[in-house]
Amino acid sequence: MFLSLLQAHNIMNNYQQIFENNRKWVTEKKASDNAFFEKLSKDQQPGFLYIGCSDSRVPAEEITGARPGEMLVHRNVANQVDPSDSNAMSVIHFAVTELHVSHIVVCGHYMCGGIKAAMEGELGAPLGTWLQPIRVLASKHRNELEAIDNLDGRFRRLVEINVQAQCETVVNLPVTQELFWGTGFPQVHGWVFNMHTGELIDLNFQP
Ligand code: CO
């Protein structure tokens, strides 16, 4: 597909805007605390590990008010925690053993394109392969999902079931297992972001 000149122009403006925004942000940060970047570059001691969806409408720091240094973030399509995914496993391992985070959050969101695609059917690799565990989850919870008489309700419920399942995986990973079952830390939380209202919902995950 060819972009019109006008579209290309807009994209270029948006692109430059990023650096414009960055310069503005630096100025603002320094104005409020002149040593901000000096402090930031020293170390990180985030209390939270946030695992969320890649969706651009769910910006982890913005919806939680987390400031730089306060939250370690890992995002992928449909907020999956797969023990065979060395990316997610590295982040969790680092968060638990090096940063000693107090909280690990799995945050899903209603209207999740990944969950929808998994519900709707055939997708080729790599996305189809990535979403396969959600299909397995949907079939495991088939009775509960089919009892919901509208598609939107099923979709919402599968988003929640997915968060719950990823939380269960987190507490049973070798790196968290002993610590979690022994001390209750890091605490594991399942959240859903409702983009219709902007509200974060705590699913009160109980392992
Ligand atoms: Co999503």
Side-chain angles (χ1 to χ4, degrees), residues 36-89:
F36 180 83
F37 292 103
E38 200 186 313
K39 290 180 201 160
L40 193 64
S41 59
K42 275 193 180 136
D43 200 8
Q44 62 165 339
Q45 287 181 314
F48 281 81
L49 165 61
Y50 170 102
I51 301 167
C53 183
S54 299
D55 195 305
S56 65
R57 298 166 296 178
V58 195
E61 289 90 345
E62 189 166 329
I63 62 175
T64 59
R67 292 168 301 180
E70 291 183 341
M71 198 161 75
L72 193 71
V73 172
H74 177 76
R75 292 169 67 177
N76 61 41
V77 175
N79 40 274
Q80 296 297 286
V81 181
D82 186 332
S84 69
D85 173 14
S86 61
N87 186 351
M89 291 308 108

